[in-house]
Amino acid sequence: MQTTAATTRPNATRTDICSGPPRRHPRPDGQDRYTISEVAAFTGLSAHTLRWYERIGLMSHIDRSHTGQRRYSNRDLDWLDLVGKLRLTGMPVADMVRYAELVREGESTYSDRRELLEATRRDVLARIAELQDTLAVLDRKISFYGDAGRAREGERTR
Amino acid sequence: MQTTAATTRPNATRTDICSGPPRRHPRPDGQDRYTISEVAAFTGLSAHTLRWYERIGLMSHIDRSHTGQRRYSNRDLDWLDLVGKLRLTGMPVADMVRYAELVREGESTYSDRRELLEATRRDVLARIAELQDTLAVLDRKISFYGDAGRAREGERTR
DNA sequence: CGCTTGCCTGGAGTGCACTCCAAGGTCATA
DNA sequence: TATGACCTTGGAGTGCACTCCAGGCAAGCG
């Protein structure tokens, strides 16, 4: 029913990203080189989308096997986790690309990145508030339809 | 920054919809016939979009002036308020059209409508949870960028 | 060796939700 | 009464985020 995201993300292993201690990544496997289809399975994104993310610069160049096939690292998976989170805040892909560029530019962009994240945080809070507002409306309407199988005062706003 | 909705909704007068008592609508004006541009101003939707909503069946035929111009009623505005709420849950327009059709079919569809609203409610709860999860990630990253203008442990996931 | 499966590329196509256009009719104000 | 802002229509165009396609390479298996 939902448009944006969250459609099919089967087992998006939610690992903590960028937290305190070095934390090794408890990925499904113990190694560090995943094929595109494995990554597709982990993240719920299609292989098409993964290649597309790379093309548009949302992911920096992925390591390759000796025959040119992509080999994703745990680092790449972490990044995809973050992208997934940002995606479901409604952030446009172009903005995520901008963030990726800042990352590639190095430490000098720390404050820019922070700002971007804080703006996103504000958006998320606003969206949560909106959704809670919507929830209230839904509850009111549901209880209207629930209270009486048939009208109690005719059709108000439908 | 946001894609979905919430871009420009200047003064979307939030009135309670379909609640208990008949409640008159404290609309900006005291009457019941608004031009399309007035409605655009109230709802933040463009006139184009309002006409389009009508074309696709998201709104039942709007009353017309003697010369054929649209005259929206308070009932129509209430409906648009609901549509706005549903829209920012991420519900596809097609589903809203489906709901509108159920409404047009009359009282016999009460339970279908209720089901649809309850499914939407579940979606909204899930989305709120996702967003709170995302918020946690953002906070962790923000505090990483905040704690030190420069790296404390190098770039983890970026 | 042939077959199947998986991956590669650039570019074209899709679906959604608008958004705009052209050509014309209407309305309020100076 | 004329000017300009506003409204009408069907249909075409836009932007985003994928999604798919054709044509081809590479590895594993009976």
Side-chain angles (χ1 to χ4, degrees), chain B residues 55-139:
Chain B
R55 259 197 294 196
I56 63 174
L58 184 49
M59 304 203 68
S60 45
H61 190 74
I62 303 299
D63 199 27
R64 303 298 165 121
S65 74
H66 68 108
T67 54
Q69 296 192 187
R70 287 172 183 78
R71 292 293 179 262
Y72 290 82
S73 67
N74 284 308
R75 212 178 196 46
D76 296 325
L77 290 187
D78 286 345
W79 175 251
L80 283 171
D81 273 353
L82 175 62
V83 164
K85 293 274 184 244
L86 292 180
R87 201 171 49 131
L88 52 80
T89 67
M91 180 186 282
V93 166
D95 288 4
M96 292 193 268
V97 171
R98 174 82 193 115
Y99 184 73
E101 280 163 0
L102 290 177
V103 168
R104 283 196 284 277
E105 281 169 36
E107 297 188 9
S108 62
T109 63
Y110 269 26
S111 65
D112 283 356
R113 291 188 228 171
R114 206 192 127 141
E115 241 166 70
L116 206 152
L117 293 178
E118 281 177 347
T120 304
R121 182 181 196 282
R122 283 190 293 275
D123 285 351
V124 172
L125 285 174
R127 167 127 324 149
I128 288 174
E130 282 175 343
L131 285 177
Q132 270 158 355
D133 212 50
T134 301
L135 205 56
V137 172
L138 285 176
D139 284 344

Side-chain angles (χ1 to χ4, degrees), chain A residues 79-92:
Chain A
W79 176 251
L80 282 170
D81 273 354
L82 175 62
V83 164
K85 294 275 184 244
L86 292 180
R87 201 172 48 132
L88 53 80
T89 68
M91 182 187 280

